Amino acid sequence: MSTKLMTGAQVVLECLLREKVECFFGYPGGVTLPLYDALYDHPIRHILVRHEQNACFAAQGYARATGKVGVCCATSGPGATNLVTALVDALMDSIPVVAITGQVSTKLIGSDAFQEADTFGITRSCTKHNFMVKKLAELPQIIHEAFHLAASGRPGPVLVDIPKDVFQAQGHYTPVSTIHLPGYRLNTEGHAGQIRRAAEMIWESERPIVYAGGGIVAAEAANDLRQFVELIDAPSVCTLMGLGSMPSTHPNFISMPGMHGSYAANMAMTETDLIIALGVRFDDRVTGRLAAFAPHARVIHVDIDPAEIGKNRAADIPIVGDVKKVLERLQEAVVDLAPTMKAKNATARTAWWAQVKAWKEEHPLEPEMSTDEIKPQHLVAEIDRLSGGEAIVASDVGQHQMWGAQFIRFNHPRLWLNSGGLGSMGFGLPAAIGAQFARPDKLVFALVGDGGFQMSIPELATIANHALPVKIIVMNNGYLGMVRQWQELFYNNRLSSVQLDGFPDPEKLAGAYGFRGRTVESPRELRSVLEAAVKEPGPYLLNVRVTPFENVYPMVPAGGAINEMVLGPVQPVAV
Amino acid sequence: MLQLISLLVENKPGALMRVTGVLSARGYNIESLTVARTLDPELSRMSIVVDIESSQRAQVIKQINKLVNVLQVTDLTEGSAVRRELVLLWIGTTQENRMAVLKEAEIFGAKAVDSAADGYALEATGDPEKLDAFIRTMQRYGEIEVTRSGLVSVPLEAKKVKLAPPVHKEHLEMDQEVLKTTE
């Protein structure tokens, strides 16, 4: 069609434009020089980060906050290998990312050339799929296939490895508008008969619970979820990845289940007779000891990925499909059956709700408060107050992440961004950067521990360069808190290599980058200091000194059943 | 228990690595593996024999099925299929036992495909247990070198291959505005 002569590098950017990429995150190097030269006068915005891992985390933050494909770029060798952690992270959490890596020229591949690494081999198991481009002619097709694969089905990261000579080659660009991947079979509709049986099972149930996860977010099905939950009037829980899919203040929402889940959620998950599992994978952090998990429950499991169904917990009714489409049809089926079936278990349902409410009241999730020191729960409760359920909170990994999940409320999905599956420390700050680029209108918090923050400290430069108004809140307890908690509880308090001395002075640190920061230690000051940080037009680094030895409760010890929670600081039994 | 998996895969670089990666990532050792082109030169047929705990078999098949380059996965462990293997065996012989070796090989349906003064190259096909017996027997006649092809199989009832249809991407259509901005 087109006879426009272009270089491979220009073709890459043309493909990105057609995929409606507005900006991408990256770090240049030797073999990507042609690409960066083409970028010099190109409308697509490139955000220079300070480490390739953070380019991919930022791309994830962008993707998690919007649902659009996040794009990152790295050079060959060390650039590409630096992407690995963040690619696996995206794979575990099903986040759509396209990573473009440079490779040494085709004639040098395999010669141990300078900055050569087997990126294609290394990232095979880190991605949903990966490609190596050998000639210019196949480049547009491959890039568009990469976007299609990243965004469709169960989303995930896709890497395209492009040798330098392919970037440099000149050719006639031919637009691509059809993707044909014969082996990429998606089943999105959901089996009509199974959906009907699921509706029957829902009305037959006396003690149903809706267990919703990241699949709801990926499928943009939060509204459908809420309608469905209201229709069947069941208690509902959201996983760490699903938080915000049900508004946190919704009366049917009983918080997060699992290792640090709420008492009500874990008791309800244990006593239920029907789990309606929607876009979840029965992760070990949710189920605890699998053999003791939900012993009385039948399971309806809806997921786009057939491999998730029956992987950890057998499903009585497996439904492979797009959870949004399935929920639409399931609601219809539930409504159809309501006149004949709804009344049947009405009394049992009322008793179930009374039980769930009793659990909620028995051990509510309530933040610890002190007038002497800032309790970490106090800090997240203040963030919650400022957010009002509307701010984006990009969390790092550890105790602060669990407290954030427990106490920060979210009115919508795509506000709570965190590394759920892989648990990658260093995620929070770059993810916040990506989210702020995607949503410049939004208040974005980077809620990080003193450990994870120091893993991504170089990105303060990226924040400063773009005057990104990210509010960096360091929950600083001077320890790798979650590891310390486990050493205390399960290793006789032998605190080994968990003390993080030498945290930099935040005022000087932020000042060195040209923005403001400070430390707060007094619980009386916390609110006003946080408010001032939020009012600051640019970035702000707030170092919050919190109780060093606070533990996250409830806690299900590893290998325990989720109804056997440790609810507070007692002498636990080692496992 | 050994499991026989038959796959239809796209004949592309890395396709084999993706399949074996699913197995090696779970610590499964591959007993044998064969790959060759099908009638359609863009596709390959792969036969894998692998020891997978029975509780994980369905999961492994599903994970392989998710690979973009894999068009079909069939578990032929229990299905009706013909399963055969080929053995090439070099056996050193003496003047005295040369005829006996040939006679013995014949009993197993093997034939000599090459001959030298000091030995034969023998070829046998069959099911793996019969070939085990053949190899054990030949060992008694002299020094041997053995190469086995690994199990290949063909299902007795053809299973229709379900392929994903092409997807049209409207937003990638020629867009004058986009082209202008890049000029």
Side-chain angles (χ1 to χ4, degrees):
Chain A
M1 282 202 291
S2 167
T3 52
K4 210 162 124 66
L5 198 64
M6 288 178 138
T7 66
Q10 287 171 320
V11 167
V12 171
L13 296 178
E14 177 68 28
C15 293
L16 297 190
L17 257 190
R18 281 163 188 268
E19 294 289 355
K20 312 226 181 302
V21 174
E22 288 155 350
C23 73
F24 68 110
F25 305 87
Y27 206 96
V31 298
T32 53
L33 279 166
L35 181 66
Y36 280 84
D37 184 62
L39 256 175
Y40 184 80
D41 46 11
H42 194 275
I44 291 186
R45 192 170 177 202
H46 175 267
I47 312 299
L48 176 65
V49 292
R50 295 300 182 273
H51 189 286
E52 291 86 351
Q53 176 178 295
N54 298 330
C56 189
F57 279 149
Q60 278 200 46
Y62 187 95
R64 288 173 193 251
T66 58
K68 293 193 264 185
V69 176
V71 181
C72 61
C73 177
T75 192
S76 63
T81 56
N82 277 346
L83 290 178
V84 163
T85 301
L87 288 172
V88 182
D89 193 280
L91 184 66
M92 288 283 271
D93 286 349
S94 310
I95 305 301
V97 167
V98 167
I100 290 166
T101 51
Q103 181 55 275
V104 300
S105 287
T106 46
K107 62 181 183 304
L108 291 174
I109 291 176
S111 72
D112 301 325
F114 176 65
Q115 290 194 330
E116 183 186 359
D118 173 16
T119 305
F120 185 60
I122 290 167
T123 60
R124 193 267 310 156
S125 61
C126 308
T127 52
K128 179 173 172 182
H129 193 68
N130 63 1
F131 297 93
M132 184 199 271
V133 184
K134 294 299 275 288
K135 23 184 212 296
L136 178 59
E138 58 188 26
L139 186 58
Q141 186 74 39
I142 286 179
I143 298 225
H144 293 310
E145 284 175 3
F147 274 84
H148 176 64
L149 285 166
S152 59
R154 179 178 181 170
V158 179
L159 181 138
V160 184
D161 198 32
I162 307 173
K164 186 174 188 179
D165 55 331
V166 175
F167 279 130
Q168 288 168 319
Q170 289 211 328
H172 293 279
Y173 173 65
T174 313
V176 173
S177 60
T178 302
I179 304 291
H180 193 203
L181 297 162
Y184 185 57
R185 301 167 300 272
L186 293 179
N187 193 346
T188 56
E189 300 305 312
H191 189 279
Q194 295 287 69
I195 291 174
R196 181 87 187 171
R197 277 187 284 282
E200 285 166 13
M201 197 176 268
I202 287 167
W203 285 131
E204 281 162 13
S205 161
E206 297 183 347
R207 303 186 305 280
I209 189 165
V210 174
Y211 160 38
I216 296 286
V217 182
E220 305 288 359
N223 283 336
D224 309 82
L225 171 69
R226 186 179 39 75
Q227 286 164 10
F228 170 71
V229 167
E230 287 168 0
L231 177 64
I232 66 167
D233 193 23
S236 65
V237 297
C238 286
T239 65
L240 185 68
M241 290 302 298
L243 288 176
S245 298
M246 281 293 288
S248 303
T249 48
H250 195 283
N252 286 62
F253 181 64
I254 58 167
S255 200
M256 180 177 78
M259 182 171 272
H260 295 294
S262 75
Y263 180 77
N266 282 346
M267 293 308 290
M269 288 289 267
T270 305
E271 296 301 326
T272 177
D273 68 352
L274 176 65
I275 292 179
I276 305 155
L278 306 169
V280 291
R281 55 192 182 87
F282 291 85
D283 178 72
D284 57 86
R285 285 307 194 250
V286 167
T287 64
R289 181 155 41 90
L290 206 50
F293 175 71
H296 321 293
R298 294 198 282 184
V299 172
I300 297 166
H301 193 173
V302 184
D303 204 284
I304 189 86
D305 180 358
E308 283 306 336
I309 294 177
K311 184 179 83 176
N312 294 331
R313 169 74 180 232
D316 298 274
I317 301 186
I319 302 175
V320 177
D322 179 323
V323 72
K324 187 177 171 70
K325 289 185 182 177
V326 172
L327 272 176
E328 282 165 8
R329 278 167 214 159
L330 185 56
Q331 286 191 70
E332 287 166 18
V334 163
V335 168
D336 277 356
L337 293 173
T340 50
M341 296 186 77
K342 187 175 180 180
K344 194 179 153 218
N345 288 319
T347 324
R349 293 278 187 108
T350 310
W352 173 235
W353 259 120
Q355 174 65 78
V356 170
K357 280 178 184 145
W359 283 322
K360 259 179 105 166
E361 282 157 24
E362 218 174 310
H363 296 288
L365 278 176
E366 268 173 3
E368 300 274 320
M369 294 287 179
S370 158
T371 49
D372 305 326
E373 50 187 3
I374 299 174
K375 290 277 184 183
Q377 301 93 327
H378 180 187
L379 170 59
V380 289
E382 285 297 331
I383 293 173
D384 171 60
R385 204 183 64 84
L386 283 168
S387 156
E390 297 293 333
I392 291 176
V393 182
S395 166
D396 217 84
V397 171
Q399 287 185 316
H400 65 279
Q401 178 190 25
M402 293 298 108
W403 281 312
Q406 288 177 342
F407 296 112
I408 303 176
R409 289 166 296 178
F410 298 98
N411 294 341
H412 318 281
R414 305 203 176 282
L415 296 177
W416 170 243
L417 320 179
N418 70 139
S419 168
L422 194 65
S424 317
M425 284 178 66
F427 171 91
L429 194 61
I433 291 173
Q436 188 77 81
F437 274 109
R439 300 294 308 271
D441 55 315
K442 276 278 186 190
L443 172 59
V444 176
F445 288 102
L447 172 62
V448 295
D450 45 326
F453 172 66
Q454 290 183 86
M455 282 195 181
S456 45
I457 247 176
E459 296 312 324
L460 292 179
T462 311
I463 287 175
N465 286 165
H466 297 274
L468 284 181
V470 171
K471 309 306 168 193
I472 307 158
I473 314 295
V474 183
M475 182 187 281
N476 190 336
N477 55 13
Y479 283 94
L480 287 170
M482 190 58 94
V483 182
R484 187 207 51 74
Q485 175 169 343
W486 282 60
Q487 289 181 347
E488 177 193 323
L489 299 179
F490 309 119
Y491 291 87
N492 296 320
N493 205 28
R494 286 153 56 91
L495 301 188
S496 178
S497 297
V498 287
Q499 195 166 2
L500 293 172
D501 290 335
F503 192 81
D505 177 329
E507 200 179 338
K508 287 185 188 159
L509 178 63
Y513 286 101
F515 60 94
R516 277 152 53 85
R518 65 164 283 183
T519 293
V520 58
E521 290 179 81
S522 149
R524 275 178 299 280
E525 273 187 297
L526 178 62
R527 180 169 292 182
S528 61
V529 169
L530 264 173
E531 281 172 356
V534 168
K535 281 205 192 91
E536 182 88 10
Y540 200 93
L541 172 62
L542 183 61
N543 177 43
V544 186
R545 283 273 170 201
V546 299
T547 321
F549 297 108
E550 194 72 19
N551 289 339
V552 184
Y553 297 108
M555 180 186 191
V556 178
I562 58 165
N563 60 330
E564 296 162 355
M565 285 158 278
V566 181
L567 292 165
V570 288
Q571 205 55 48
V573 182
V575 289
Chain B
M1 185 191 139
L2 287 181
Q3 185 173 4
L4 171 58
I5 304 171
S6 174
L7 298 102
L8 198 57
V9 301
E10 289 180 288
N11 189 1
K12 287 191 172 168
L16 174 64
M17 169 182 79
R18 294 179 204 280
V19 173
T20 57
V22 170
L23 300 168
S24 65
R26 290 164 175 77
Y28 297 129
N29 192 37
I30 294 170
E31 297 287 325
S32 77
L33 186 153
T34 70
V35 199
R37 272 204 323 225
T38 64
L39 286 176
D40 179 345
E42 290 187 4
L43 303 181
S44 299
R45 171 70 64 183
M46 217 181 262
S47 302
I48 308 176
V49 177
V50 56
D51 192 1
I52 301 174
E53 334 158 25
S54 55
S55 64
Q56 291 304 310
R57 279 168 54 174
Q59 177 61 206
V60 168
I61 296 275
K62 282 180 178 178
Q63 291 293 347
I64 293 175
N65 212 6
K66 267 169 71 170
L67 299 172
V68 174
N69 295 142
V70 172
L71 304 191
Q72 189 183 44
V73 195
T74 318
D75 185 346
L76 290 181
T77 316
E78 276 136 23
S80 54
V82 175
R83 304 169 187 85
R84 306 285 281 179
E85 191 175 2
L86 178 139
V87 162
L88 284 178
L89 181 151
W90 169 260
I91 179 159
T93 53
T94 60
Q95 278 305 323
E96 291 72 34
N97 72 4
R98 281 180 73 83
M99 287 316 290
V101 165
L102 281 187
K103 277 222 155 107
E104 190 75 56
E106 226 170 80
I107 293 169
F108 285 93
K111 60 177 186 187
V113 287
D114 201 3
S115 169
D118 57 346
Y120 296 115
L122 301 174
E123 171 194 305
T125 63
D127 64 57
E129 292 77 26
K130 191 185 140 195
L131 295 176
D132 287 344
F134 170 62
I135 292 165
R136 278 195 306 273
T137 306
M138 297 321 287
Q139 259 174 326
R140 291 209 289 269
Y141 288 89
E143 289 290 307
I144 61 170
E145 288 283 337
V146 179
T147 300
R148 300 179 73 143
S149 67
L151 208 59
V152 292
S153 62
V154 65
L156 291 178
E157 29 199 75
K159 202 171 139 192
K160 205 170 175 298
V161 183
K162 273 187 240 149
L163 298 180
V167 182
H168 188 70
K169 294 273 182 179
E170 238 166 72
H171 70 276
L172 300 182
E173 291 278 284
M174 182 68 105
D175 179 343
Q176 288 306 319
E177 214 176 15
V178 168
L179 283 180
K180 254 186 251 154
T181 52
T182 57
E183 265 153 22

